[in-house]
Amino acid sequence: MENYKDVLVYIEQRHGEIQTVSLELLGIGKTLAEKLNVNVNACIVGNNIKNLAKELAYYGANKVYIVENEILENYVNEPYTKALATVINDVKPEIVLVGATSIGRDLAPRVSSRVHTGLTADCTNLDIDPETNNLLMTRPAFGGNLMATIICPNHRPQMSTVRPGVMVQSRRDETLTSEMIDYHINFTDKDMNVQVLERVKEKAKKIRIEDANVLVSAGRGIGSKENMKSLYQLSDMIKGEVSGTRAVVDNGWLDKERQVGQTGKTVRPDLYIAAGISGAIQHVSGMEDSNLIIAINKNPSAPIFEVADVGIVGDATKIIPEVIKELKQISK
Ligand code: FAD
């Protein structure tokens, strides 16, 4: 264990674009490294990615390990696992951080198992125990009612994934430089257990709920994707956008880009209508600065009423259609 040193951040790039979460991890990685008096290093994997390494220096990476190969053009679990696990086994970092993106969630568990260590997923806070120098990995447990701090005292590296948007990226500084280390890993056909036949990019219109003056926001209380239609109808009538809670996004009723809260967007519209939203702290932290908050909830003790300017106790699936009916009357 004493051979393990430094913090290693896995830099996720997609088609030559560094994902913001990786820069956020370099930020917290640097803070942890300073507490341990060690380096924060980066590992980037892909094809034709050398030009990105300089950018990592600007964000504070002391060393950048570059694994380049044609086979790594698109993300595929097995060759990427081999790349990152090889670097970890070789450089022996004491901490490895990976973004909890769809790719990171696929990659980090496989890598942690390959290098025989544990993994704490979806951390919201990372710190160093000043007595033991162990990594303190904090994440919500039991549906967010409790924060659990997890340690990995018997194995190295200590591995953690962190959701995008939770950590703050450090300032970009073009005077910073880092040591670039090329890794040549021998890949064979056996490493490519999946064949990518085609890449199709979704051509969705980018919605920026953070720019909307009016948001009609859905919570699980809306009950179904079908019931979301009346929220879209109302938002059209009052020139707003539809947003929602993570529960609604997880249920597949709403796109992730419309999620408000700690792991979604922070919004500050003139009017925020919260329909069927309980008011969990992770949601409220993303909307509490809205100018006027109108909450509709069946439960009079729902925490959302603590931040609402106007509270309506009742069934949102009945109230919203009534409001639409009234607005139609007014505009006649
Ligand atoms: P619920 O908590 O299930 O609440 C539903 C509400 O609807 C209840 O209050 C109920 O009384 C009411 N209701 C039921 N039926 C009706 C009806 N017919 N009419 C009116 N009211 C009704 N959440 C986010 O939103 N954004 C985030 O960014 C976010 N990040 C998170 C990050 C972490 C690390 C964790 C652990 C959690 C995060 N969450 C986030 C989840 C958060 O803790 C809550 O679970 C979530 O916000 C709950 O969503 P909800 O209010 O839609 O659902």
Side-chain angles (χ1 to χ4, degrees), residues 152-213:
C152 175
N154 300 327
H155 292 86
R156 289 292 180 270
Q158 303 158 93
M159 280 187 70
S160 155
T161 64
V162 179
R163 276 173 187 263
V166 175
M167 302 296 175
V168 182
Q169 70 186 52
S170 43
R171 218 161 38 86
R172 188 173 181 277
D173 179 352
E174 286 194 17
T175 63
L176 296 174
T177 54
S178 52
E179 189 185 338
M180 305 291 171
I181 299 151
D182 278 316
Y183 251 84
H184 298 286
I185 296 175
N186 210 3
F187 291 98
T188 65
D189 286 348
K190 270 212 317 238
D191 295 318
M192 203 58 180
N193 55 355
V194 171
Q195 203 187 344
V196 179
L197 298 179
E198 195 188 357
R199 243 181 56 215
V200 182
K201 209 166 176 187
E202 205 181 357
K203 279 202 215 95
K205 183 174 145 240
K206 276 265 167 248
I207 305 286
R208 285 182 51 86
I209 55 165
E210 56 273 48
D211 295 340
N213 286 329

Side-chain angles (χ1 to χ4, degrees), residues 265-282:
K265 307 270 173 63
T266 300
V267 297
R268 219 173 286 231
D270 291 333
L271 172 62
Y272 190 91
I273 301 176
I277 293 177
S278 60
I281 181 67
Q282 295 90 350

Side-chain angles (χ1 to χ4, degrees), residues 124 140 219-221 245-247 259-264 276-278 280 282-283 296-299 314-316:
T124 51
R220 205 196 315 259
T245 64
R246 191 167 115 190
Q259 183 189 316
V260 172
Q262 184 186 315
T263 47
I277 293 177
S278 60
Q282 295 90 350
H283 182 78
I296 312 169
N297 197 303
K298 264 179 165 173
N299 175 4
D315 185 341

Side-chain angles (χ1 to χ4, degrees), residues 94-110:
E94 59 192 301
I95 293 172
V96 175
L97 306 179
V98 179
T101 60
S102 49
I103 286 182
R105 282 158 193 256
D106 186 58
L107 177 68
R110 180 79 72 106

Side-chain angles (χ1 to χ4, degrees), residues 7-10 25 28-29 32 95-99 126 135 160 162:
V7 177
L8 184 71
V9 175
Y10 171 71
L25 293 185
I28 179 70
L32 299 173
I95 293 172
V96 175
L97 306 179
V98 179
L126 297 172
L135 179 65
S160 155
V162 179

Side-chain angles (χ1 to χ4, degrees), residues 83-146:
L84 184 56
T86 305
V87 173
I88 291 173
N89 282 330
D90 205 44
V91 305
K92 297 194 170 18
E94 59 192 301
I95 293 172
V96 175
L97 306 179
V98 179
T101 60
S102 49
I103 286 182
R105 282 158 193 256
D106 186 58
L107 177 68
R110 180 79 72 106
V111 170
S112 72
S113 138
R114 189 94 28 117
V115 301
H116 305 294
T117 191
L119 173 75
T120 306
D122 279 351
C123 293
T124 51
N125 194 35
L126 297 172
D127 206 350
I128 301 294
D129 181 337
E131 276 174 26
T132 60
N133 273 355
N134 277 327
L135 179 65
L136 302 173
M137 301 175 272
T138 303
R139 55 153 300 155
F142 298 106
N145 293 324
L146 192 71

